[in-house]
Amino acid sequence: LTLNPLPCSHSRHSQASLVVLTTCLVVHSLLVRIVMMNMNMNVKKNVVASAARTHQSRSSGAQARAGTPSQCVFSAGARRPAPKATTTRLSRRANVLAQAAGKTLDRPLRVAVVGGGPSGSCAAEVLAKGGCETYLIERKMDNCKPCGGAIPLCMIEEFDLPMEIVDRRVTKMKMISPSNREVDVGQTLNEQEYIGMCRREVMDDFLRRRAGRYGANLVNGLMQKIEGGEGDQPFKITYNAFDGDNSVGTKTELEVDVIIGADGANSRVAKTMGAGEYDYAIAFQERITLSDEKMKYYEDLAEMYVGDDVSPDFYGWVFPKYDHVAVGTGTVVNKTAIKQYQTAIRDRSSEKCAGGKIIRVEAHPIPEHPRPKRVSGRIALVGDAAGYVTKCSGEGIYFAAKSGRMCAEAIVAQSEGGKRMVDEGDLSVYLDEWDKKYWLTYKVLDILQKLFYRSNPAREAFVELCDDYYVQKMTFDSYLYKTVVPGNPLDDAKLLVKTVGSIVRSNALRKEASVV
């Protein structure tokens, strides 16, 4: 929702900087460095294994196309042995997919993108521009997802977003501790730098319409089920099409070659492909109109509140929008108490939001980690459906749009502009690249959230470190431009001492509190 982590390079300074960027407290400790190095080794192993699977899939496809499905040459003078009786359905599916992969088509590759948020819309745009016959299926064309709506400065240029969709340019943030200590963040920004605040209904509508202008077919419908997809057979998508005042929808069928699931945390596409379950947070948000005088205070300011009262494992926020503020919170560990936490964040911000009127109440599940499976056959997941929301910060918009674009780019490239059939190995190109860039980021954030959101004393240490000029500079420089900024070794050492001191004090305070 606010500050988010960045991709990590393999250099020592970049590894240290990653922690700076992802936590706003920049834990450059040797322990974190060691953990990250071990994780990095695991990433390499995963990438190598995935590459081997892709090579094997392509090799199998080439062998299958050299002969008939039952008798394909796999080595000089030899025939493929008959499958064993214990061959699983999954193995048979992989074999027939390999036969179909790479086949030249006499029509454009047909791709359905289910879900019209940032991930789905950005995917549909790239696919349509790249020569694929594209269908973007979205149930609610005026959807208002409960979301902080913060986007980094670089996203505006990278995704060619018009300034009309940016409601506010936030240049200042207040971090507010459990004891209500306030730390001003943003002193390192120059006059041209800011965090964009958007309303999701405005941003999503723009991205969908732009995809339509590039040739994507916009479908107002709710996906019901997916069938087929074996070998070179198409998928059959059944959905309820909505037109005009028809609230029930008309049963409609669509045949496509590839499916991208961009349908959020409760993804039906993910359930269909057996992507596996994941834990999720509940985000609750109220939109509140304020008087002109009160709204002036939030003109370029956002607030983050931490404490057991507003969330046991996350934070509460007050973010400015066009003519109102969004006040919300979230939690994973105690979802049933979400309204209690919402009441607490409203109470803690009550003086600044006095006299406000609630105009909308929103709630939505937010994924906590990537799904166990994100590519299966000719189906891929992106955005929230894949679980691409960062811990600690809860940032998801940029990564949703980025994942949709990366997935679509892989499909366009591997299909040679929509001229050839693709398979799981082709879609895995996107997944390998994504994991190489961001897998470590999500793992480190998981550790840091558990470390600094575990108690009020730890949250006090978190806010204390946010007052450091070096922390703010490294965080904002990297967040705004999505680049890893190498740290200064001397400043890293100073910050290490300060970080350790804060953690020690927080632990001591926590022990005292437990005794009392």
Side-chain angles (χ1 to χ4, degrees):
L1 300 172
T2 53
L3 304 181
N4 63 297
L6 299 171
C8 178
S9 69
H10 298 299
S11 69
R12 291 175 59 85
H13 292 319
S14 295
Q15 289 181 21
S17 299
L18 172 63
V19 184
V20 178
L21 314 178
T22 55
T23 64
C24 207
L25 47 85
V26 203
V27 185
H28 286 165
S29 67
L30 294 177
L31 176 60
V32 172
R33 287 178 182 263
I34 292 172
V35 170
M36 292 170 67
M37 289 174 65
N38 290 334
M39 290 179 178
N40 200 33
M41 292 175 63
N42 291 331
V43 172
K44 290 180 179 179
K45 292 178 181 178
N46 292 339
V47 171
V48 170
S50 181
R53 291 193 302 270
T54 301
H55 176 72
Q56 183 179 16
S57 175
R58 291 186 180 279
S59 298
S60 299
Q63 293 162 5
R65 290 190 293 273
T68 63
S70 59
Q71 289 185 324
C72 300
V73 177
F74 71 99
S75 64
R79 295 290 181 183
R80 183 185 300 276
K84 297 180 180 180
T86 57
T87 300
T88 64
R89 180 180 179 183
L90 183 60
S91 298
R92 292 195 298 271
R93 176 177 173 81
N95 286 337
V96 293
L97 280 174
Q99 295 173 26
K103 183 181 70 173
T104 301
L105 301 172
D106 58 2
R107 53 168 174 75
L109 185 73
R110 301 168 300 183
V111 185
V113 182
V114 182
S119 60
S121 297
C122 290
E125 177 185 335
V126 172
L127 291 165
K129 290 164 66 175
C132 298
E133 184 178 322
T134 307
Y135 298 88
L136 180 59
I137 305 173
E138 168 59 38
R139 168 61 183 95
K140 297 179 180 180
M141 293 297 184
D142 59 348
N143 186 39
C144 301
K145 180 181 177 181
C147 175
I151 60 174
L153 183 60
C154 69
M155 185 175 180
I156 295 174
E157 180 178 356
E158 182 177 347
F159 290 87
D160 195 21
L161 301 178
M163 290 307 303
E164 287 75 15
I165 72 168
V166 179
D167 289 337
R168 298 280 177 175
R169 301 185 184 189
V170 169
T171 59
K172 296 176 290 186
M173 295 189 67
K174 280 189 181 294
M175 301 291 299
I176 304 173
S177 75
S179 64
N180 284 324
R181 175 189 177 184
E182 296 185 358
V183 169
D184 292 323
V185 181
Q187 55 185 307
T188 65
L189 298 181
N190 64 40
E191 295 181 355
Q192 287 76 42
E193 294 176 328
Y194 60 89
I195 297 173
M197 290 291 174
C198 303
R199 287 167 291 169
R200 284 292 301 276
E201 62 269 29
V202 175
M203 170 184 254
D204 293 6
D205 181 67
F206 167 79
L207 292 173
R208 279 193 296 268
R209 290 178 182 274
R210 185 169 68 180
R213 289 197 299 271
Y214 279 111
N217 298 285
L218 305 184
V219 179
N220 186 190
L222 176 63
M223 194 275 287
Q224 296 295 331
K225 64 179 179 178
I226 300 172
E227 300 173 294
E230 296 288 343
D232 60 354
Q233 296 302 306
F235 291 103
K236 183 173 73 173
I237 297 178
T238 302
Y239 65 94
N240 289 341
F242 300 96
D243 184 18
D245 297 329
N246 184 359
S247 60
V248 178
T250 303
K251 181 179 178 180
T252 309
E253 295 180 347
L254 173 67
E255 289 191 348
V256 295
D257 304 303
V258 181
I259 298 174
I260 296 178
D263 48 339
N266 292 325
S267 172
R268 294 189 177 188
V269 176
K271 289 181 174 64
T272 298
M273 65 179 272
E277 297 301 323
Y278 55 12
D279 204 357
Y280 63 92
I282 290 295
F284 194 100
Q285 178 173 274
E286 295 169 330
R287 301 196 188 195
I288 302 176
T289 57
L290 303 177
S291 66
D292 292 342
E293 180 183 357
K294 295 289 185 181
M295 200 66 207
K296 184 68 176 177
Y297 173 78
Y298 288 108
E299 182 178 13
D300 57 358
L301 172 71
E303 293 180 325
M304 289 176 58
Y305 293 79
V306 291
D308 285 334
D309 56 338
V310 298
S311 176
D313 56 336
F314 203 55
Y315 62 85
W317 63 86
V318 180
F319 288 170
K321 304 296 182 180
Y322 176 68
D323 57 357
H324 62 276
V325 292
V327 180
T329 185
T331 181
V332 177
V333 301
N334 195 4
K335 302 179 183 67
T336 58
I338 187 64
K339 289 188 177 180
Q340 170 188 327
Y341 301 135
Q342 180 64 20
T343 299
I345 180 61
R346 198 188 313 123
D347 289 344
R348 286 185 64 180
S349 61
S350 60
E351 182 178 347
K352 301 165 188 175
C353 298
K357 178 183 178 181
I358 298 175
I359 58 175
R360 184 189 293 271
V361 178
E362 306 162 323
H364 199 275
I366 304 295
E368 273 295 287
H369 56 79
R371 286 188 186 271
K373 183 190 296 183
R374 289 161 287 157
V375 170
S376 178
R378 286 177 277 128
I379 303 178
L381 301 177
V382 296
D384 281 13
Y388 294 150
V389 175
T390 61
K391 286 199 174 184
C392 274
S393 64
E395 205 278 340
I397 298 178
Y398 177 84
F399 291 109
K402 189 71 171 180
S403 65
R405 173 178 283 187
M406 288 176 64
C407 182
E409 287 174 342
I411 293 173
V412 170
Q414 299 302 112
S415 68
E416 299 180 7
K419 298 175 183 177
R420 290 183 174 275
M421 182 62 71
V422 295
D423 68 353
E424 183 172 323
D426 295 313
L427 269 61
S428 293
V429 170
Y430 133 71
L431 201 59
D432 294 343
E433 183 64 23
W434 178 268
D435 286 346
K436 187 166 61 176
K437 282 178 175 288
Y438 302 121
W439 182 86
L440 185 57
T441 295
Y442 289 92
K443 287 297 182 181
V444 171
L445 273 177
D446 187 17
I447 295 173
L448 295 176
Q449 178 165 340
K450 292 174 181 176
L451 178 63
F452 289 98
Y453 284 2
R454 58 187 173 143
S455 67
N456 277 351
R459 296 183 185 99
E460 291 287 350
F462 173 92
V463 174
E464 178 184 342
L465 287 168
C466 288
D467 198 22
D468 186 274
Y469 182 90
Y470 181 61
V471 170
Q472 294 189 25
K473 178 173 177 54
M474 295 291 289
T475 300
F476 275 105
D477 284 355
S478 301
Y479 168 76
L480 294 176
Y481 303 108
K482 283 295 182 290
T483 57
V484 175
V485 179
N488 180 287
L490 179 59
D491 289 332
D492 286 351
K494 293 178 180 178
L495 188 57
L496 171 59
V497 173
K498 183 180 293 187
T499 301
V500 171
S502 296
I503 294 175
V504 169
R505 285 194 299 276
S506 72
N507 286 335
L509 290 172
R510 186 175 62 166
K511 290 179 180 179
E512 290 179 6
S514 63
V515 171
V516 174

